[in-house]
Amino acid sequence: MEFSTLKLIHIISTVLFLVLYLLKTILLLANKTEGLKTVTKIAKVPEMIISTVFLVTGIWMFVEVGAIKTLQIIKLIAVVASIPLAIVAFKKGNKALAIVAFLLIVMSYGLAEMAKKKPYPSKSVETETVGAEANPIDFGGAVYKANCTMCHGEDGKKGLAGAIDLSTSQLDKTGIIAVVNNGRGSMAGYKSTLGEKEVDAVAEYILTLRK
């Protein structure tokens, strides 16, 4: 399955998941007991399907990328914690738990949005790992392999999570350095996580992917 399709399914399931829990929470807070029972009964199977799709696609995307950010870990914990809390809240009619569960779900969405602006954990590559006399291309290749292949692939054409095809990019070295440092589109900047030497070397290497 294409990553873009997987992401779209995840977004749709997330919205449905959020809307359903919002509706049930409102009914509980408004003391609409019969309405809550009716919605719970009608939505029982759809809710199970939506929840499963929501969780499976989320985990699937992490597996596809092969890395996870700290904020994404916190998001997963919030989602996993919200589900049993919500089940108990709606079953026992506990308004406080229902509010906590809904806030956890909303928080998980906010964390996901915040995570988009953060780079994946970078892996520093020492010159010694590619030979004592390593040239910028060799060093840049090591930095690229450690930090960029998850989205761009070894040949620059993978295109995961909105990554551009580096083999057809028209950016010069200065432009590449700017994107690596500051980010662009769905890519977060690595200025705070990769050193100047690493960024310069990886830019040199990326230029070779066009040959």
Side-chain angles (χ1 to χ4, degrees), residues 105-182:
I105 295 172
V106 173
M107 184 180 77
S108 69
Y109 176 79
L111 289 170
E113 290 300 308
M114 291 171 60
K116 291 180 181 179
K117 301 177 182 179
K118 300 290 183 180
Y120 285 97
S122 61
K123 301 175 183 177
S124 182
V125 178
E126 297 298 329
T127 307
E128 289 75 11
T129 63
V130 289
E133 301 298 326
N135 61 48
I137 300 299
D138 292 334
F139 182 47
V143 175
Y144 179 87
K145 184 176 181 180
N147 297 281
C148 311
T149 54
M150 65 181 75
C151 294
H152 290 287
E154 293 187 5
D155 59 0
K157 300 178 180 180
K158 189 174 182 180
L160 191 64
I164 66 169
D165 184 344
L166 297 177
S167 68
T168 61
S169 173
Q170 298 301 307
L171 288 176
D172 59 13
K173 183 179 177 180
T174 301
I176 294 172
I177 289 176
V179 172
V180 174
N181 278 329
N182 305 312

Side-chain angles (χ1 to χ4, degrees), residues 15-209:
V15 172
L16 292 175
F17 185 81
L18 187 60
V19 169
L20 181 57
Y21 272 72
L22 174 60
L23 175 60
K24 293 172 71 174
T25 301
I26 290 174
L27 289 173
L28 177 60
L29 295 179
N31 296 314
K32 302 293 184 180
T33 306
E34 291 304 316
L36 178 59
K37 289 181 179 179
T38 300
V39 171
T40 300
K41 183 177 180 180
I42 294 175
K44 184 176 181 180
V45 174
E47 184 177 353
M48 290 175 61
I49 295 174
I50 292 170
S51 300
T52 301
V53 172
F54 169 61
L55 291 173
V56 170
T57 53
I59 295 172
W60 192 347
M61 286 193 294
F62 290 138
V63 173
E64 283 284 318
V65 173
I68 189 169
K69 304 174 184 179
T70 302
L71 288 176
Q72 292 173 326
I73 294 174
I74 299 174
K75 169 198 169 183
L76 281 175
I77 293 174
V79 171
V80 172
S82 70
I83 295 176
L85 283 177
I87 292 174
V88 173
F90 296 134
K91 186 175 182 179
K92 300 294 185 180
N94 191 311
K95 297 178 181 180
L97 279 182
I99 292 173
V100 171
F102 182 73
L103 289 177
L104 283 173
I105 295 172
V106 173
M107 184 180 77
S108 69
Y109 176 79
L111 289 170
E113 290 300 308
M114 291 171 60
K116 291 180 181 179
K117 301 177 182 179
K118 300 290 183 180
Y120 285 97
S122 61
K123 301 175 183 177
S124 182
V125 178
E126 297 298 329
T127 307
E128 289 75 11
T129 63
V130 289
E133 301 298 326
N135 61 48
I137 300 299
D138 292 334
F139 182 47
V143 175
Y144 179 87
K145 184 176 181 180
N147 297 281
C148 311
T149 54
M150 65 181 75
C151 294
H152 290 287
E154 293 187 5
D155 59 0
K157 300 178 180 180
K158 189 174 182 180
L160 191 64
I164 66 169
D165 184 344
L166 297 177
S167 68
T168 61
S169 173
Q170 298 301 307
L171 288 176
D172 59 13
K173 183 179 177 180
T174 301
I176 294 172
I177 289 176
V179 172
V180 174
N181 278 329
N182 305 312
R184 175 183 289 183
S186 60
M187 175 181 165
Y190 280 78
K191 187 174 184 178
S192 63
T193 54
L194 290 178
E196 184 178 343
K197 178 181 66 175
E198 293 169 309
V199 174
D200 186 83
V202 81
E204 287 279 4
Y205 179 76
I206 289 172
L207 290 173
T208 69
L209 296 176

